[in-house]
Amino acid sequence: SATLTMGSNSNAALLAGAGAIGGAAAMWLAVRLNSRGRFTHLPLTGTPMFNSSSLLDRGAGKIRIRRSFCDTPDGQMLFRSAGDPSAPTMVLLHMNPRSSDEWTELMPLFAQDYFVLAPDLMGFGESDKPQRLLYVTDYAQHIVALLDELKIEKAVILGNHTGAFVTSEIAAAYPTRVTKVILANVAYFGEMVPTNRLFFRAP
């Protein structure tokens, strides 16, 4: 069974200095420090996540980010990929209404240890616009469809903000497909008010 770790002191120290050293680099360090846990909540609030510049550059600038599409029940979904496909897989899920573009500075860093996938959730970025209202359960199915198409059995999944809810749904509905869950910038992490349940639960 998965273990739950809620923001350790090491995370707090790293993330408190994120504005000075670059939020993307801080998240990268936090992920590396939490490599032994399976479920981690990173309390990122108001930090500039994507400004790592040259910090922790161990040759990451040489790693190429590719763009591809995969089919889902609701249309084609764009995904970015980087790293060695034979390495363990990490999936990065963006917040809404952004796209996988928010991960482009982190991907080369993670790709030194993982095969990294960052999709545009359906209706965002360059993915198709769905013809129906989608719920978090649908977004989770799309990510599993991506893993199926690439013949990937399990992955580390890191979700930012609304992407964290999709990450949690994948872990709950498809536990055998997940090796680690990392939640960042989680909104409504406690008890949700009734109006939010309309979005997070299928009818």
Side-chain angles (χ1 to χ4, degrees):
S1 61
T3 57
L4 172 62
T5 303
M6 296 292 291
S8 66
N9 290 334
S10 297
N11 281 344
L14 281 169
L15 298 170
I21 69 172
M27 181 182 285
W28 179 78
L29 280 171
V31 170
R32 293 297 292 270
L33 286 177
N34 281 282
S35 60
R36 294 182 181 179
R38 287 198 61 207
F39 191 100
T40 303
H41 171 222
L42 305 181
L44 300 177
T45 55
T47 54
M49 292 178 56
F50 313 104
N51 184 29
S52 61
S53 41
S54 61
L55 187 67
L56 299 176
D57 184 1
R58 297 181 295 138
K62 300 177 182 178
I63 296 176
R64 178 188 174 198
I65 298 177
R66 300 168 294 276
R67 296 194 301 171
S68 309
F69 286 88
C70 84
D71 292 324
T72 78
D74 294 290
Q76 287 198 318
M77 181 171 67
L78 177 134
F79 66 95
R80 300 170 194 264
S81 62
D84 182 357
S86 66
T89 300
M90 172 180 280
V91 179
L92 307 177
L93 301 182
H94 64 83
M95 68 178 292
N96 298 347
R98 300 185 66 172
S99 71
S100 61
D101 182 64
E102 77 176 19
W103 297 111
T104 52
E105 290 190 37
L106 272 175
M107 288 183 70
L109 295 174
F110 288 136
Q112 295 171 85
D113 301 297
Y114 294 93
F115 176 51
V116 184
L117 301 172
D120 286 355
L121 297 177
M122 295 301 297
F124 300 95
E126 296 183 52
S127 291
D128 286 347
K129 307 304 181 261
Q131 301 301 308
R132 64 185 182 94
L133 177 65
L134 296 181
Y135 292 87
V136 168
T137 52
D138 298 308
Y139 292 116
Q141 291 172 2
H142 299 157
I143 302 307
V144 172
L146 171 61
L147 296 178
D148 288 343
E149 182 161 316
L150 298 179
K151 295 180 172 55
I152 295 171
E153 293 186 5
K154 297 183 178 182
V156 174
I157 306 181
L158 191 165
N160 176 39
H161 202 267
T162 40
F165 288 101
V166 181
T167 299
S168 298
E169 175 64 24
I170 297 169
Y174 309 94
T176 61
R177 309 302 297 272
V178 177
T179 57
K180 176 192 279 287
V181 166
I182 306 168
L183 309 179
N185 255 338
V186 187
Y188 309 112
F189 193 74
E191 184 68 23
M192 291 184 290
V193 297
T195 53
N196 289 319
R197 291 195 182 104
L198 294 176
F199 175 73
F200 295 116
R201 296 191 180 198

